[in-house]
Amino acid sequence: MLKTDICGVEFRNPLMLAAGIMGSNASSMNWILKSGAGGVVSKSFSLNPHPGYVNPTTVAVEGGIINAIGLSNPGVDNFKEELKKIEKDNNVVIASIYGATPDEFSRLVEEVQEFVDMIELNISCPHAMDGYGASIGQDCNLSHTIVSAAKDAAEVPIIAKLTPNVTDITEIAKTCEDAGADALSLINTLGPGMKINIDVARPVLSNKFGGMSGRAIKPIAISNVYSVYEAVDIPLIGVGGIYSWEDVVEFIYAGARAVQIGTAIMDEGVEVFAQINDGLEKFMSEKGFSSIDEMVGLAHREL
């Protein structure tokens, strides 16, 4: 009942681990899969190791958290070793990659695709260094160039992860589709945001600014999924503020075929996956749905 298909890749349920939380090593990703997720997305990594920003990198705010990790990672060679150790039986593994040039993205795709089922392009991080993340995803020409290069090198489906910090997300979505993206994830964190320590009159985060995630951004994520669903023909993956099965239903009705969960794990624990799956299955039975397919985009139907 809970199975869903994205670009020919079948997920046993529509829940995935979002990039950035518990996706740094195989042991934590295997834990997430055993806890009920149908797939995992790794933490974003690059060709070479990158230290990221110094602490503090995360701060709680009302309705969520603001983080500026700075895309810290041990580099592709180290990450490949972790990807090899993920238990793949009936599980979907997705690598999240980032770079600054088409060549970097192409090389990363070639390096990791044999170890994963799909690859997600991080062209949307709002606290990345200049030339990375949202600085790509806010520009149609750069987005097209990067997605096209990754797709040309790929033998697995390519997902482009979009930023909400743009004038018109449908324009970027259509650009990525035209460049060959097989699917889209939306949205990445909102921002940049800031929290100030009033005792010392300084921003809390070492980077000063960061991206906001959590419950407060869900209405924006839902709106973006709804708008993009009407603008493109490729599958969508919803991300942003998902804590309950009701949240998942909203995203599916808006047009998503699957969702990614991140911040909720920090608040609810890994048990959130099983809880959502149980609630979603009960809801579908009560409403007479036999598959996720029957629910996708229902909010767009004419009454």
Side-chain angles (χ1 to χ4, degrees):
M1 177 183 286
L2 295 182
K3 290 181 180 179
T4 189
D5 182 282
I6 300 175
C7 310
V9 178
E10 186 174 89
F11 293 74
R12 55 192 170 94
N13 65 62
L15 310 184
M16 306 181 210
L17 172 71
I21 295 187
M22 295 186 70
S24 296
N25 56 67
S27 61
S28 61
M29 287 187 274
N30 283 330
W31 186 19
I32 292 291
L33 290 167
K34 290 175 182 176
S35 298
V40 289
V41 184
S42 74
K43 190 180 189 306
S44 297
F45 58 89
S46 52
L47 282 172
N48 300 309
H50 181 70
Y53 302 128
V54 299
N55 286 322
T57 56
T58 303
V59 60
V61 294
E62 187 171 357
I65 64 169
I66 300 175
N67 85 86
I69 308 298
L71 295 173
S72 61
N73 75 95
V76 65
D77 288 338
N78 287 298
F79 236 105
K80 282 195 295 186
E81 296 307 309
E82 296 301 320
L83 293 172
K84 292 175 184 177
K85 294 183 283 187
I86 298 176
E87 297 170 9
K88 296 184 173 63
D89 291 340
N90 204 28
N91 297 316
V92 177
V93 180
I94 302 171
S96 174
I97 62 173
Y98 79 90
T101 67
D103 181 63
E104 286 182 16
F105 276 94
S106 295
R107 288 169 59 194
L108 280 162
V109 168
E110 292 169 351
E111 286 279 350
V112 303
Q113 61 183 346
E114 67 178 289
F115 309 112
V116 298
D117 301 291
M118 309 175 86
I119 294 175
E120 183 176 87
L121 311 180
N122 184 347
I123 54 171
S124 49
C125 177
H127 54 79
M129 310 72 70
D130 288 343
Y132 296 82
S135 60
I136 296 172
Q138 290 169 334
D139 184 297
C140 281
N141 290 331
L142 286 174
S143 296
H144 194 284
T145 300
I146 293 298
V147 172
S148 180
K151 180 62 179 173
D152 285 346
E155 297 177 2
V156 297
I158 293 294
I159 306 164
K161 189 169 185 178
L162 307 187
T163 173
N165 306 312
V166 291
T167 303
D168 182 2
I169 196 169
T170 63
E171 183 180 16
I172 300 293
K174 288 186 284 188
T175 294
C176 291
E177 179 182 40
D178 181 66
D182 298 290
L184 302 172
S185 292
L186 56 156
I187 54 176
N188 208 319
T189 51
L190 192 67
M194 176 185 285
K195 182 176 176 63
I196 292 177
N197 183 326
I198 61 174
D199 291 323
V200 297
R202 295 289 298 169
V204 173
L205 299 178
S206 66
N207 187 56
K208 299 180 182 177
F209 305 97
M212 182 166 177
S213 63
R215 284 189 170 95
I217 77 165
K218 191 191 82 173
I220 295 167
I222 292 284
S223 173
N224 282 321
V225 169
Y226 187 94
S227 296
V228 170
Y229 180 79
E230 296 191 340
V232 302
D233 295 319
I234 54 179
L236 306 182
I237 301 166
V239 197
I242 298 167
Y243 278 69
S244 67
W245 63 264
E246 293 95 335
D247 295 333
V248 175
V249 172
E250 277 195 77
F251 272 97
I252 295 173
Y253 280 176
R257 300 193 66 83
V259 299
Q260 295 176 2
I261 297 171
T263 306
I265 300 170
M266 301 172 67
D267 296 330
E268 308 292 331
V270 297
E271 296 79 11
V272 69
F273 290 99
Q275 293 166 3
I276 290 176
N277 280 328
D278 289 344
L280 180 59
E281 191 163 13
K282 289 176 184 176
F283 172 82
M284 291 174 66
S285 295
E286 291 172 359
K287 294 293 186 179
F289 293 117
S290 60
S291 69
I292 297 294
D293 281 348
E294 296 172 6
M295 301 168 62
V296 175
L298 272 185
H300 298 264
R301 63 183 173 178
E302 295 185 6
L303 299 178

PDB file of all heavy atoms in Angstrom, residues 8-34:
ATOM      1  N   GLY A   8      11.300   5.080 -11.870  1.00  0.00           N
ATOM      2  CA  GLY A   8      11.562   3.661 -11.980  1.00  0.00           C
ATOM      3  C   GLY A   8      12.227   3.041 -10.778  1.00  0.00           C
ATOM      4  O   GLY A   8      12.464   1.828 -10.744  1.00  0.00           O
ATOM      5  N   VAL A   9      12.539   3.844  -9.775  1.00  0.00           N
ATOM      6  CA  VAL A   9      13.104   3.340  -8.523  1.00  0.00           C
ATOM      7  C   VAL A   9      11.961   3.167  -7.529  1.00  0.00           C
ATOM      8  O   VAL A   9      11.258   4.132  -7.209  1.00  0.00           O
ATOM      9  CB  VAL A   9      14.163   4.305  -7.956  1.00  0.00           C
ATOM     10  CG1 VAL A   9      14.698   3.788  -6.622  1.00  0.00           C
ATOM     11  CG2 VAL A   9      15.293   4.495  -8.959  1.00  0.00           C
ATOM     12  N   GLU A  10      11.772   1.942  -7.041  1.00  0.00           N
ATOM     13  CA  GLU A  10      10.649   1.678  -6.139  1.00  0.00           C
ATOM     14  C   GLU A  10      11.069   1.817  -4.676  1.00  0.00           C
ATOM     15  O   GLU A  10      12.063   1.237  -4.242  1.00  0.00           O
ATOM     16  CB  GLU A  10      10.085   0.283  -6.376  1.00  0.00           C
ATOM     17  CG  GLU A  10       8.823   0.010  -5.554  1.00  0.00           C
ATOM     18  CD  GLU A  10       8.171  -1.308  -5.879  1.00  0.00           C
ATOM     19  OE1 GLU A  10       8.531  -2.330  -5.245  1.00  0.00           O
ATOM     20  OE2 GLU A  10       7.305  -1.329  -6.778  1.00  0.00           O
ATOM     21  N   PHE A  11      10.299   2.577  -3.941  1.00  0.00           N
ATOM     22  CA  PHE A  11      10.487   2.754  -2.500  1.00  0.00           C
ATOM     23  C   PHE A  11       9.401   1.960  -1.776  1.00  0.00           C
ATOM     24  O   PHE A  11       8.232   1.984  -2.176  1.00  0.00           O
ATOM     25  CB  PHE A  11      10.336   4.230  -2.117  1.00  0.00           C
ATOM     26  CG  PHE A  11      11.412   5.140  -2.658  1.00  0.00           C
ATOM     27  CD1 PHE A  11      11.433   5.485  -4.006  1.00  0.00           C
ATOM     28  CD2 PHE A  11      12.393   5.664  -1.816  1.00  0.00           C
ATOM     29  CE1 PHE A  11      12.408   6.337  -4.505  1.00  0.00           C
ATOM     30  CE2 PHE A  11      13.371   6.510  -2.309  1.00  0.00           C
ATOM     31  CZ  PHE A  11      13.387   6.852  -3.648  1.00  0.00           C
ATOM     32  N   ARG A  12       9.764   1.277  -0.698  1.00  0.00           N
ATOM     33  CA  ARG A  12       8.765   0.484   0.032  1.00  0.00           C
ATOM     34  C   ARG A  12       7.780   1.363   0.786  1.00  0.00           C
ATOM     35  O   ARG A  12       6.696   0.919   1.159  1.00  0.00           O
ATOM     36  CB  ARG A  12       9.432  -0.511   0.969  1.00  0.00           C
ATOM     37  CG  ARG A  12      10.409   0.071   1.970  1.00  0.00           C
ATOM     38  CD  ARG A  12      11.223  -1.038   2.646  1.00  0.00           C
ATOM     39  NE  ARG A  12      12.320  -0.521   3.436  1.00  0.00           N
ATOM     40  CZ  ARG A  12      12.242  -0.272   4.728  1.00  0.00           C
ATOM     41  NH1 ARG A  12      11.120  -0.490   5.375  1.00  0.00           N
ATOM     42  NH2 ARG A  12      13.293   0.191   5.388  1.00  0.00           N
ATOM     43  N   ASN A  13       8.151   2.606   1.029  1.00  0.00           N
ATOM     44  CA  ASN A  13       7.233   3.614   1.566  1.00  0.00           C
ATOM     45  C   ASN A  13       7.765   4.975   1.137  1.00  0.00           C
ATOM     46  O   ASN A  13       8.907   5.089   0.670  1.00  0.00           O
ATOM     47  CB  ASN A  13       7.098   3.490   3.093  1.00  0.00           C
ATOM     48  CG  ASN A  13       8.386   3.792   3.830  1.00  0.00           C
ATOM     49  OD1 ASN A  13       8.918   4.900   3.755  1.00  0.00           O
ATOM     50  ND2 ASN A  13       8.911   2.800   4.546  1.00  0.00           N
ATOM     51  N   PRO A  14       6.966   6.041   1.265  1.00  0.00           N
ATOM     52  CA  PRO A  14       7.373   7.334   0.715  1.00  0.00           C
ATOM     53  C   PRO A  14       8.272   8.170   1.615  1.00  0.00           C
ATOM     54  O   PRO A  14       8.483   9.360   1.330  1.00  0.00           O
ATOM     55  CB  PRO A  14       6.026   8.039   0.501  1.00  0.00           C
ATOM     56  CG  PRO A  14       5.155   7.508   1.587  1.00  0.00           C
ATOM     57  CD  PRO A  14       5.559   6.051   1.737  1.00  0.00           C
ATOM     58  N   LEU A  15       8.818   7.589   2.670  1.00  0.00           N
ATOM     59  CA  LEU A  15       9.618   8.357   3.623  1.00  0.00           C
ATOM     60  C   LEU A  15      11.113   8.165   3.399  1.00  0.00           C
ATOM     61  O   LEU A  15      11.590   7.035   3.279  1.00  0.00           O
ATOM     62  CB  LEU A  15       9.279   7.946   5.060  1.00  0.00           C
ATOM     63  CG  LEU A  15       7.804   7.909   5.461  1.00  0.00           C
ATOM     64  CD1 LEU A  15       7.674   7.589   6.942  1.00  0.00           C
ATOM     65  CD2 LEU A  15       7.104   9.208   5.122  1.00  0.00           C
ATOM     66  N   MET A  16      11.848   9.273   3.372  1.00  0.00           N
ATOM     67  CA  MET A  16      13.305   9.225   3.240  1.00  0.00           C
ATOM     68  C   MET A  16      13.949  10.093   4.314  1.00  0.00           C
ATOM     69  O   MET A  16      13.342  11.033   4.822  1.00  0.00           O
ATOM     70  CB  MET A  16      13.762   9.795   1.894  1.00  0.00           C
ATOM     71  CG  MET A  16      13.175   9.224   0.665  1.00  0.00           C
ATOM     72  SD  MET A  16      13.921  10.068  -0.773  1.00  0.00           S
ATOM     73  CE  MET A  16      12.557   9.948  -1.916  1.00  0.00           C
ATOM     74  N   LEU A  17      15.184   9.762   4.604  1.00  0.00           N
ATOM     75  CA  LEU A  17      16.021  10.657   5.395  1.00  0.00           C
ATOM     76  C   LEU A  17      16.459  11.800   4.503  1.00  0.00           C
ATOM     77  O   LEU A  17      16.936  11.577   3.394  1.00  0.00           O
ATOM     78  CB  LEU A  17      17.259   9.908   5.902  1.00  0.00           C
ATOM     79  CG  LEU A  17      18.334  10.755   6.593  1.00  0.00           C
ATOM     80  CD1 LEU A  17      17.857  11.235   7.951  1.00  0.00           C
ATOM     81  CD2 LEU A  17      19.640   9.971   6.715  1.00  0.00           C
ATOM     82  N   ALA A  18      16.303  13.036   4.976  1.00  0.00           N
ATOM     83  CA  ALA A  18      16.755  14.197   4.217  1.00  0.00           C
ATOM     84  C   ALA A  18      18.262  14.374   4.369  1.00  0.00           C
ATOM     85  O   ALA A  18      18.848  13.987   5.386  1.00  0.00           O
ATOM     86  CB  ALA A  18      16.026  15.460   4.690  1.00  0.00           C
ATOM     87  N   ALA A  19      18.890  14.977   3.382  1.00  0.00           N
ATOM     88  CA  ALA A  19      20.328  15.246   3.449  1.00  0.00           C
ATOM     89  C   ALA A  19      20.641  16.175   4.612  1.00  0.00           C
ATOM     90  O   ALA A  19      19.894  17.117   4.885  1.00  0.00           O
ATOM     91  CB  ALA A  19      20.805  15.875   2.142  1.00  0.00           C
ATOM     92  N   GLY A  20      21.734  15.881   5.315  1.00  0.00           N
ATOM     93  CA  GLY A  20      22.203  16.798   6.350  1.00  0.00           C
ATOM     94  C   GLY A  20      22.046  16.323   7.772  1.00  0.00           C
ATOM     95  O   GLY A  20      22.694  16.841   8.673  1.00  0.00           O
ATOM     96  N   ILE A  21      21.155  15.340   7.998  1.00  0.00           N
ATOM     97  CA  ILE A  21      20.932  14.849   9.358  1.00  0.00           C
ATOM     98  C   ILE A  21      21.127  13.336   9.376  1.00  0.00           C
ATOM     99  O   ILE A  21      20.445  12.611   8.653  1.00  0.00           O
ATOM    100  CB  ILE A  21      19.523  15.212   9.863  1.00  0.00           C
ATOM    101  CG1 ILE A  21      19.399  16.730   9.988  1.00  0.00           C
ATOM    102  CG2 ILE A  21      19.211  14.517  11.180  1.00  0.00           C
ATOM    103  CD1 ILE A  21      18.141  17.227  10.628  1.00  0.00           C
ATOM    104  N   MET A  22      22.068  12.873  10.178  1.00  0.00           N
ATOM    105  CA  MET A  22      22.346  11.448  10.331  1.00  0.00           C
ATOM    106  C   MET A  22      22.744  10.766   9.022  1.00  0.00           C
ATOM    107  O   MET A  22      22.559   9.562   8.868  1.00  0.00           O
ATOM    108  CB  MET A  22      21.167  10.718  10.983  1.00  0.00           C
ATOM    109  CG  MET A  22      20.900  11.153  12.410  1.00  0.00           C
ATOM    110  SD  MET A  22      19.623  10.174  13.228  1.00  0.00           S
ATOM    111  CE  MET A  22      20.463   8.593  13.418  1.00  0.00           C
ATOM    112  N   GLY A  23      23.282  11.539   8.096  1.00  0.00           N
ATOM    113  CA  GLY A  23      23.663  10.968   6.815  1.00  0.00           C
ATOM    114  C   GLY A  23      25.148  10.968   6.551  1.00  0.00           C
ATOM    115  O   GLY A  23      25.583  10.887   5.406  1.00  0.00           O
ATOM    116  N   SER A  24      25.945  11.037   7.625  1.00  0.00           N
ATOM    117  CA  SER A  24      27.398  11.135   7.460  1.00  0.00           C
ATOM    118  C   SER A  24      28.097   9.788   7.376  1.00  0.00           C
ATOM    119  O   SER A  24      29.227   9.706   6.891  1.00  0.00           O
ATOM    120  CB  SER A  24      28.008  11.943   8.613  1.00  0.00           C
ATOM    121  OG  SER A  24      27.536  13.270   8.600  1.00  0.00           O
ATOM    122  N   ASN A  25      27.453   8.726   7.887  1.00  0.00           N
ATOM    123  CA  ASN A  25      28.107   7.413   7.870  1.00  0.00           C
ATOM    124  C   ASN A  25      27.080   6.298   7.694  1.00  0.00           C
ATOM    125  O   ASN A  25      25.880   6.496   7.890  1.00  0.00           O
ATOM    126  CB  ASN A  25      28.925   7.196   9.142  1.00  0.00           C
ATOM    127  CG  ASN A  25      28.099   7.358  10.393  1.00  0.00           C
ATOM    128  OD1 ASN A  25      27.204   6.551  10.659  1.00  0.00           O
ATOM    129  ND2 ASN A  25      28.383   8.388  11.179  1.00  0.00           N
ATOM    130  N   ALA A  26      27.575   5.145   7.331  1.00  0.00           N
ATOM    131  CA  ALA A  26      26.702   4.010   7.028  1.00  0.00           C
ATOM    132  C   ALA A  26      25.922   3.548   8.245  1.00  0.00           C
ATOM    133  O   ALA A  26      24.745   3.169   8.136  1.00  0.00           O
ATOM    134  CB  ALA A  26      27.522   2.862   6.460  1.00  0.00           C
ATOM    135  N   SER A  27      26.526   3.563   9.420  1.00  0.00           N
ATOM    136  CA  SER A  27      25.840   3.046  10.608  1.00  0.00           C
ATOM    137  C   SER A  27      24.589   3.853  10.933  1.00  0.00           C
ATOM    138  O   SER A  27      23.539   3.276  11.258  1.00  0.00           O
ATOM    139  CB  SER A  27      26.791   3.039  11.811  1.00  0.00           C
ATOM    140  OG  SER A  27      27.237   4.344  12.120  1.00  0.00           O
ATOM    141  N   SER A  28      24.671   5.176  10.836  1.00  0.00           N
ATOM    142  CA  SER A  28      23.489   5.987  11.141  1.00  0.00           C
ATOM    143  C   SER A  28      22.436   5.854  10.044  1.00  0.00           C
ATOM    144  O   SER A  28      21.232   5.817  10.330  1.00  0.00           O
ATOM    145  CB  SER A  28      23.878   7.454  11.328  1.00  0.00           C
ATOM    146  OG  SER A  28      24.456   7.989  10.162  1.00  0.00           O
ATOM    147  N   MET A  29      22.864   5.753   8.788  1.00  0.00           N
ATOM    148  CA  MET A  29      21.887   5.580   7.707  1.00  0.00           C
ATOM    149  C   MET A  29      21.221   4.208   7.780  1.00  0.00           C
ATOM    150  O   MET A  29      20.018   4.075   7.518  1.00  0.00           O
ATOM    151  CB  MET A  29      22.551   5.834   6.355  1.00  0.00           C
ATOM    152  CG  MET A  29      22.845   7.310   6.106  1.00  0.00           C
ATOM    153  SD  MET A  29      23.465   7.704   4.439  1.00  0.00           S
ATOM    154  CE  MET A  29      25.226   7.404   4.672  1.00  0.00           C
ATOM    155  N   ASN A  30      21.972   3.182   8.150  1.00  0.00           N
ATOM    156  CA  ASN A  30      21.361   1.861   8.335  1.00  0.00           C
ATOM    157  C   ASN A  30      20.352   1.883   9.480  1.00  0.00           C
ATOM    158  O   ASN A  30      19.314   1.215   9.431  1.00  0.00           O
ATOM    159  CB  ASN A  30      22.446   0.819   8.615  1.00  0.00           C
ATOM    160  CG  ASN A  30      23.192   0.408   7.359  1.00  0.00           C
ATOM    161  OD1 ASN A  30      22.638   0.426   6.262  1.00  0.00           O
ATOM    162  ND2 ASN A  30      24.451   0.028   7.510  1.00  0.00           N
ATOM    163  N   TRP A  31      20.657   2.633  10.525  1.00  0.00           N
ATOM    164  CA  TRP A  31      19.733   2.783  11.654  1.00  0.00           C
ATOM    165  C   TRP A  31      18.424   3.426  11.192  1.00  0.00           C
ATOM    166  O   TRP A  31      17.331   2.983  11.568  1.00  0.00           O
ATOM    167  CB  TRP A  31      20.402   3.620  12.738  1.00  0.00           C
ATOM    168  CG  TRP A  31      19.629   3.748  14.025  1.00  0.00           C
ATOM    169  CD1 TRP A  31      18.610   2.941  14.461  1.00  0.00           C
ATOM    170  CD2 TRP A  31      19.805   4.736  15.040  1.00  0.00           C
ATOM    171  NE1 TRP A  31      18.148   3.359  15.682  1.00  0.00           N
ATOM    172  CE2 TRP A  31      18.872   4.469  16.052  1.00  0.00           C
ATOM    173  CE3 TRP A  31      20.678   5.817  15.182  1.00  0.00           C
ATOM    174  CZ2 TRP A  31      18.773   5.259  17.200  1.00  0.00           C
ATOM    175  CZ3 TRP A  31      20.590   6.598  16.318  1.00  0.00           C
ATOM    176  CH2 TRP A  31      19.640   6.313  17.312  1.00  0.00           C
ATOM    177  N   ILE A  32      18.535   4.437  10.369  1.00  0.00           N
ATOM    178  CA  ILE A  32      17.348   5.111   9.839  1.00  0.00           C
ATOM    179  C   ILE A  32      16.518   4.140   8.997  1.00  0.00           C
ATOM    180  O   ILE A  32      15.285   4.087   9.105  1.00  0.00           O
ATOM    181  CB  ILE A  32      17.749   6.337   8.995  1.00  0.00           C
ATOM    182  CG1 ILE A  32      18.356   7.430   9.883  1.00  0.00           C
ATOM    183  CG2 ILE A  32      16.554   6.873   8.214  1.00  0.00           C
ATOM    184  CD1 ILE A  32      17.395   8.095  10.823  1.00  0.00           C
ATOM    185  N   LEU A  33      17.172   3.346   8.173  1.00  0.00           N
ATOM    186  CA  LEU A  33      16.456   2.387   7.330  1.00  0.00           C
ATOM    187  C   LEU A  33      15.765   1.319   8.171  1.00  0.00           C
ATOM    188  O   LEU A  33      14.618   0.938   7.902  1.00  0.00           O
ATOM    189  CB  LEU A  33      17.430   1.744   6.338  1.00  0.00           C
ATOM    190  CG  LEU A  33      17.949   2.679   5.236  1.00  0.00           C
ATOM    191  CD1 LEU A  33      19.130   2.061   4.513  1.00  0.00           C
ATOM    192  CD2 LEU A  33      16.837   3.024   4.254  1.00  0.00           C
ATOM    193  N   LYS A  34      16.433   0.844   9.210  1.00  0.00           N
ATOM    194  CA  LYS A  34      15.816  -0.146  10.100  1.00  0.00           C
ATOM    195  C   LYS A  34      14.667   0.451  10.901  1.00  0.00           C
ATOM    196  O   LYS A  34      13.794  -0.273  11.386  1.00  0.00           O
ATOM    197  CB  LYS A  34      16.880  -0.714  11.047  1.00  0.00           C
ATOM    198  CG  LYS A  34      17.900  -1.604  10.359  1.00  0.00           C
ATOM    199  CD  LYS A  34      19.003  -2.042  11.314  1.00  0.00           C
ATOM    200  CE  LYS A  34      20.039  -2.888  10.607  1.00  0.00           C
ATOM    201  NZ  LYS A  34      21.173  -3.254  11.493  1.00  0.00           N
TER     202      LYS A  34
END
